Amino acid sequence: MQSCIDVLICLSSESHLIKFKAEGIWNYSTMLIRDDLGLLVLGAREAVYALDINEISVSKSKVLWEVTEEKQKECSSKGKHPDIDCRNYVRVLHQMSDGGMYVCGTNAFSPVCDYISYNDGKLKLEGKQEDGRGKCPFDPFQRSSSLMLDEDLYSGTSLNFLGSEPVILRTSPVTLRTVFKSSWLNEPNFIYMDMVPESDDSPEGDDDKIYMFFSESAIEYDFYNKLLVSRVARVCKGDMGGLRTLQRKWSSFLKARLDCSVPEPSLPYVIQDVFHVRHKTWRKSVFYAVFTSQSSSTDRSSAVCAYDMTDITEVFARGKFKTEVSVEMSDVKWVMYNGECINNAARSLGINRTLDLPDKTLQFIRDRPLMEDAVRPITGKPLLLNRGPLLTRLVVDTVTAQDGQDYPVMFVGTGEFSHKPLGQNGSNCHFEANGYVQKAVNYDGEMHIIEEIELFENAEPVDVLRLHQNQLYAGSASGVVQIPVSNCSRYSSCLDCVLARDPYCVWDVLAQQCLRLPQSPVDQKRDLIQSLKDGDANQCPSTGPETKLGILVLGNNIRLPCQPSSNLAQVNWYFAEKPLLYSNEKYTIYKDAILIYNATSSDAGRYTCMSVEHLKGKQFTQTLAIYDLQEQKAPEVMVTIKTTVGKSLDERFTTSSGVHEQEESPSFYKNQSGKSKLIAMQVSLAVLSVLMVCLLFWNFYMGHISPFMCCGRHLIKSTRNLPEMEYINTGNDVMDHKQQMISLYIKTKCDGEAATFHSRPANGDQALDNHVFKYITDESEI
Ligand SMILES: *[C@@H]1O[C@H](CO)[C@@H](O)[C@H](O)[C@H]1NC(C)=O
Ligand SMILES: *[C@@H]1O[C@H](CO)[C@@H](O)[C@H](O)[C@H]1NC(C)=O
């Protein structure tokens, strides 16, 4: 067990990326998070995978879903590329209320849907082939969106082979669709849809609504060529269509322009992805959307805008419709309609269902789906504006920072701007794409990019981005990666930690580490530094004291000095980050030192001396000294592990060897000869353990011992730290391959570390020799 810990330490390098890719499988573009099953269900080209949500490199099951030869031939005979277009791309993946899943694929330009179950760790395709037209696109390069709600599938896609019949469809006992009119949908690109529970506590007896986001060619402007605009549309959940007019069509479809105006004059930006930040009270929900510039050849920029749910509902409720001049006005003179779902007011007039709506109202609705007003973003302008590689996917996490405020952190992924016109063989419209995620926050109107996280080595566009419990999941053409939303430990100093202005991270003065902000209310006693809005690193301890290492000799009295810089300062001592409040039989706390009596092994650990000063009602805390007392009996390697959490080996090394440079060192009261014997013993023990570790590494490398034999889950978990490594998952042999990778890694990476272990005892020895050890017989000398 012991050696496993050593291996773990060795593996914890900087990268936290976990990858999944399967041989021969491409286009991982559809994801469904099944929290209840602990799965990330992944839809790819001709395959669906069930991955462990915590460790996506672990594939629990897979099911292939290939096109038949016949379908492929039929598709290629219509002029489509047999190997690119005429395959089955999984595009729709939803959970059903019975726990099963609904899945649709393009199936060689002949979309088909089916049910998938997950039982006893196995995915199974039910084989109940259902018509997928209107639910899933024909063309794998076309965007679409869908939503499963109470067994009703809402989908926005194209209904025909040519992709020329766009539709927003509800597949339900009463199937509804949009009217084929360019005023309803005009060459749309469907992006996203979701339900907003507006019936919750509604005094008006309102209905839930489904909101859809898409871009389309504008019909409301006279423009010399095609102009794209972004839209938000909505329908009422209880819609049943009209009786004669709008029969089996939406009788509640309304849309509005979505504005995301950048400072300079330009064509409207085009929506690419949406993230719904849900709130308990739906009115406080916010939709974040990422946009890219329209003329991407001249101006390549992206913007993120956020829309308040209240602003969106207001635009639809205002009842101002854009009207075509040609419409005959006599029809509509007496129509009362202000764009609401069936609510109490309508019910009081005897209209209980949309089927009861008068023809005149339905005609009005049919002819005027577009609202006059546009939906404006919160603060009226983009939260983020980015030049360069186009940002096309986003998720937003809400982080409660140390100041108690909630900050939305945006993760925006770069991707290819693939608005491929139909019938064109898009190879010549290629844009560079970098395969990274930008992590950004907006502080008081000022955007701040915290970091850019590289996801895919070969600069692939991010096709899909998901967020689940502090993990990001990104899919691309060649694989999927999982990465934590923050990696605070990469900031090694207070300055780095505070200046990063990452709401997830705080500097812990006691532990001297950049830590992930605890989710629970922060312990007030702890001294944590975070300065998000100002990035004020002045709060950092001016020059953090170096940790002084000392050997704890059992049964001795130990004095640890600590001199406050000011007489006004009060000195506080902490042991293992817990305050030592009073002098007692174990400790005496002096103004400039602490005395520990009769040291026992339970006294080993970190002692921190802090000064606290009060000035103008403010409290200033400063770390004055840190001591690491290590029990003498323990082998050196163990000690290293224990005291170096969160630091790189190199750093630890300097820390320990730096002791002898300190003027004030801990003093130990014991005679010298006894001590050196013990050191000698310690050195030999350390050398022995290093040899053991090397032997173990050798065995790993030779495959005599499997790391899984001893560590099991732990070690598998730690593989997330292996950088730049791919897990080719081909079912049964996954373990073998991974194991090989680990052995290889241990060999290459740990050879260097082993050398460090070797030299360590020698250095420690030297350090100790330089200590001033006093043997005190008289207490008054202290
Ligand atoms: C599928 O992946 C390949 C790369 O292997 C890529 O060239 C192609 O564009 C992808 N297709 C779709 C529909 O995303
Ligand atoms: C020191 O600690 C040991 C073990 O805890 C105990 O047996 C011994 O009596 C203690 N000595 C003094 C002087 O407190």
Side-chain angles (χ1 to χ4, degrees):
M1 222 41 218
Q2 176 58 56
S3 46
C4 284
I5 295 166
D6 293 340
V7 172
L8 273 174
I9 296 265
C10 186
L11 287 176
S12 58
S13 82
E14 57 297 336
S15 176
H16 288 68
L17 219 67
I18 307 177
K19 298 180 184 185
F20 172 81
K21 78 177 286 174
E23 193 141 10
I25 303 288
W26 300 93
N27 308 94
Y28 303 85
S29 53
T30 311
M31 284 181 186
L32 172 66
I33 287 164
R34 289 295 304 265
D35 211 8
D36 54 335
L37 302 174
L39 295 180
L40 176 73
V41 185
L42 182 64
R45 193 174 79 176
E46 315 217 306
V48 177
Y49 291 86
L51 309 180
D52 185 333
I53 189 100
N54 299 314
E55 184 77 36
I56 61 159
S57 56
V58 179
S59 167
K60 300 207 166 164
S61 177
K62 79 163 175 184
V63 57
L64 289 180
W65 196 18
E66 291 164 310
V67 285
T68 60
E69 218 169 289
E70 185 191 346
K71 274 277 174 234
Q72 200 166 13
K73 273 195 187 126
E74 194 184 312
C75 168
S76 57
S77 71
K78 290 178 190 163
K80 299 292 172 192
H81 193 293
D83 258 349
I84 295 171
D85 301 317
C86 301
R87 306 290 291 267
N88 190 23
Y89 293 81
V90 174
R91 277 302 136 82
V92 173
L93 200 49
H94 294 292
Q95 181 176 352
M96 310 284 291
S97 49
D98 67 358
M101 287 166 272
Y102 194 67
V103 62
C104 304
T106 58
N107 194 34
F109 268 78
S110 161
V112 66
C113 298
D114 204 340
Y115 296 84
I116 290 191
S117 62
Y118 182 78
N119 288 316
D120 307 322
K122 283 260 172 299
L123 283 177
K124 187 165 162 265
L125 204 59
E126 302 284 332
K128 301 176 191 160
Q129 304 238 326
E130 285 186 1
D131 189 355
R133 277 179 301 169
K135 302 173 189 170
C136 175
F138 285 66
D139 183 345
F141 290 93
Q142 222 174 41
R143 285 290 290 276
S144 68
S145 69
S146 60
L147 171 72
M148 184 68 81
L149 211 61
D150 314 331
E151 311 288 282
D152 294 349
L153 182 74
Y154 294 76
S155 49
T157 185
S158 173
L159 204 50
N160 64 348
F161 183 88
L162 291 175
S164 56
E165 277 176 25
V167 70
I168 295 172
L169 185 76
R170 183 181 72 197
T171 310
S172 59
V174 188
T175 293
L176 291 184
R177 64 169 175 83
T178 40
V179 176
F180 293 129
K181 282 180 87 174
S182 59
S183 59
W184 281 52
L185 295 171
N186 191 22
E187 299 175 43
N189 202 22
F190 294 104
I191 302 296
Y192 182 81
M193 53 174 76
D194 204 4
M195 191 270 283
V196 177
E198 294 184 33
S199 67
D200 285 2
D201 306 318
S202 167
E204 299 91 29
D206 204 352
D207 194 4
D208 294 341
K209 300 188 184 80
I210 292 91
Y211 286 84
M212 297 128 193
F213 295 82
F214 56 93
S215 61
E216 64 173 348
S217 295
I219 47 154
E220 68 262 42
Y221 305 112
D222 278 329
F223 199 66
Y224 55 92
N225 64 37
K226 198 159 102 172
L227 179 74
L228 295 177
V229 285
S230 305
R231 302 280 197 212
V232 54
R234 69 105 166 105
V235 292
C236 304
K237 194 176 140 198
D239 199 339
M240 299 172 80
L243 197 58
R244 282 179 298 273
T245 310
L246 292 181
Q247 194 184 17
R248 300 209 155 235
K249 312 282 182 316
W250 295 107
S251 67
S252 59
F253 178 80
L254 291 177
K255 64 180 181 181
R257 205 179 75 233
L258 204 57
D259 264 357
C260 182
S261 324
V262 295
E264 306 99 89
S266 67
L267 298 178
Y269 276 33
V270 183
I271 192 163
Q272 299 296 335
D273 199 16
V274 173
F275 188 83
H276 184 186
V277 177
R278 293 182 184 84
H279 194 276
K280 289 191 293 292
T281 47
W282 65 265
R283 279 178 191 284
K284 291 185 181 160
S285 292
V286 177
F287 284 103
Y288 283 79
V290 62
F291 294 78
T292 56
S293 49
Q294 190 151 162
S295 48
S296 52
S297 52
T298 53
D299 167 27
R300 291 161 54 71
S301 38
S302 327
V304 175
C305 280
Y307 303 90
D308 227 320
M309 204 49 231
T310 0
D311 293 341
I312 298 175
T313 49
E314 204 168 286
V315 165
F316 287 115
R318 223 173 273 156
K320 281 165 74 184
F321 301 92
K322 264 206 171 21
T323 309
E324 288 168 88
V325 188
S326 60
V327 168
E328 203 189 308
M329 295 306 284
S330 63
D331 250 11
V332 297
K333 251 178 201 159
W334 308 106
V335 168
M336 275 285 294
Y337 179 66
N338 55 4
E340 269 156 5
C341 294
I342 303 293
N343 56 17
N344 293 342
R347 285 182 205 109
S348 70
L349 297 171
I351 300 168
N352 293 311
R353 305 168 303 167
T354 55
L355 293 167
D356 303 332
L357 284 168
D359 271 343
K360 277 185 183 175
T361 307
L362 292 168
Q363 281 159 15
F364 182 95
I365 296 166
R366 185 192 58 201
D367 297 334
R368 287 166 197 79
L370 181 61
M371 307 308 295
E372 172 72 35
D373 296 329
V375 178
R376 312 258 308 130
I378 298 172
T379 73
K381 58 177 201 277
L383 296 175
L384 181 79
L385 198 59
N386 186 71
R387 311 230 171 262
L390 295 172
L391 303 173
T392 57
R393 295 293 181 272
L394 96 161
V395 294
V396 180
D397 195 11
T398 308
V399 188
T400 309
Q402 215 212 341
D403 58 11
Q405 272 196 52
D406 284 346
Y407 293 91
V409 180
M410 299 173 265
F411 296 88
V412 202
T414 54
E416 211 161 24
F417 184 69
S418 67
H419 195 79
K420 196 189 100 170
L422 275 163
Q424 192 186 310
N425 164 350
S427 56
N428 50 354
C429 72
H430 179 80
F431 298 100
E432 84 188 74
N434 293 54
Y436 66 80
V437 159
Q438 221 171 55
K439 177 173 164 187
V441 197
N442 194 287
Y443 293 123
D444 294 334
E446 169 228 4
M447 62 181 176
H448 171 66
I449 298 182
I450 300 168
E451 57 182 330
E452 280 175 355
I453 310 163
E454 199 182 335
L455 299 175
F456 309 113
E457 301 101 274
N458 35 359
E460 285 179 296
V462 179
D463 284 335
V464 56
L465 202 57
R466 288 278 185 279
L467 177 73
H468 177 71
Q469 288 181 351
N470 299 319
Q471 298 286 318
L472 279 181
Y473 302 89
S476 73
S478 74
V480 185
V481 298
Q482 172 190 353
I483 192 163
V485 289
S486 66
N487 177 11
C488 301
S489 63
R490 79 193 196 95
Y491 306 115
S492 55
S493 72
C494 179
L495 216 66
D496 291 345
C497 184
V498 173
L499 293 181
R501 295 163 75 192
D502 186 331
Y504 292 104
C505 303
V506 282
W507 181 258
D508 185 325
V509 176
L510 272 185
Q512 288 213 296
Q513 274 174 34
C514 194
L515 295 178
R516 184 63 211 275
L517 192 65
Q519 299 296 295
S520 52
V522 186
D523 177 3
Q524 290 304 313
K525 284 214 186 77
R526 287 184 83 102
D527 196 7
L528 302 176
I529 301 176
Q530 191 181 53
S531 172
L532 298 179
K533 289 182 178 169
D534 315 316
D536 176 13
N538 284 334
Q539 301 173 41
C540 285
S542 47
T543 45
E546 270 204 285
T547 303
K548 293 163 202 166
L549 217 67
I551 300 293
L552 181 144
V553 184
L554 294 180
N556 281 6
N557 299 336
I558 298 167
R559 179 181 182 271
L560 303 175
C562 173
Q563 184 71 53
S565 49
S566 149
N567 280 338
L568 298 171
Q570 179 196 338
V571 172
N572 291 342
W573 281 91
Y574 294 80
F575 170 56
E577 292 167 35
K578 287 188 198 70
L580 300 175
L581 297 174
Y582 331 98
S583 299
N584 53 22
E585 64 271 16
K586 191 75 224 164
Y587 310 100
T588 301
I589 298 170
Y590 296 93
K591 181 89 189 152
D592 62 349
I594 190 169
L595 188 64
I596 305 157
Y597 298 109
N598 192 12
T600 64
S601 46
S602 62
D603 294 328
R606 175 169 288 186
Y607 291 80
T608 311
C609 170
M610 312 254 293
S611 76
V612 183
E613 267 186 88
H614 293 270
L615 200 77
K616 288 183 187 164
K618 278 189 181 170
Q619 181 176 307
F620 295 93
T621 317
Q622 200 188 350
T623 308
L624 297 176
I626 302 170
Y627 296 99
D628 235 338
L629 290 194
Q630 297 168 10
E631 200 184 328
Q632 187 176 40
K633 285 194 307 190
E636 187 74 10
V637 177
M638 263 301 288
V639 171
T640 311
I641 292 159
K642 196 171 164 196
T643 58
T644 51
V645 185
K647 289 195 173 185
S648 78
L649 268 167
D650 291 346
E651 262 177 88
R652 286 174 231 157
F653 196 49
T654 36
T655 310
S656 60
S657 61
V659 167
H660 66 272
E661 290 156 20
Q662 297 296 319
E663 271 177 22
E664 275 202 307
S665 292
S667 318
F668 304 91
Y669 315 116
K670 184 82 187 189
N671 73 40
Q672 284 274 10
S673 67
K675 189 185 70 50
S676 46
K677 255 187 221 159
L678 280 160
I679 288 167
M681 240 173 77
Q682 184 204 351
V683 167
S684 43
L685 251 168
V687 169
L688 201 67
S689 13
V690 166
L691 286 175
M692 289 287 285
V693 169
C694 289
L695 189 68
L696 193 83
F697 287 170
W698 173 248
N699 276 313
F700 278 155
Y701 178 54
M702 296 303 286
H704 297 155
I705 304 177
S706 152
F708 301 102
M709 274 158 50
C710 57
C711 283
R713 257 187 69 75
H714 280 296
L715 196 69
I716 294 169
K717 242 187 142 54
S718 71
T719 56
R720 74 175 55 196
N721 302 323
L722 296 179
E724 317 295 336
M725 232 174 267
E726 284 178 0
Y727 299 122
I728 319 271
N729 195 336
T730 49
N732 289 338
D733 55 7
V734 55
M735 284 307 222
D736 286 338
H737 189 81
K738 208 153 120 177
Q739 194 177 318
Q740 268 176 19
M741 287 306 222
I742 290 168
S743 315
L744 197 73
Y745 183 72
I746 289 169
K747 186 181 154 36
T748 52
K749 184 77 183 169
C750 294
D751 277 354
E753 312 282 40
T756 316
F757 282 136
H758 271 301
S759 57
R760 169 168 291 277
N763 249 287
D765 203 3
Q766 188 194 4
L768 288 167
D769 280 345
N770 280 288
H771 275 308
V772 188
F773 287 101
K774 288 197 281 181
Y775 187 63
I776 300 178
T777 43
D778 186 355
E779 277 268 4
S780 64
E781 263 193 68
I782 297 163

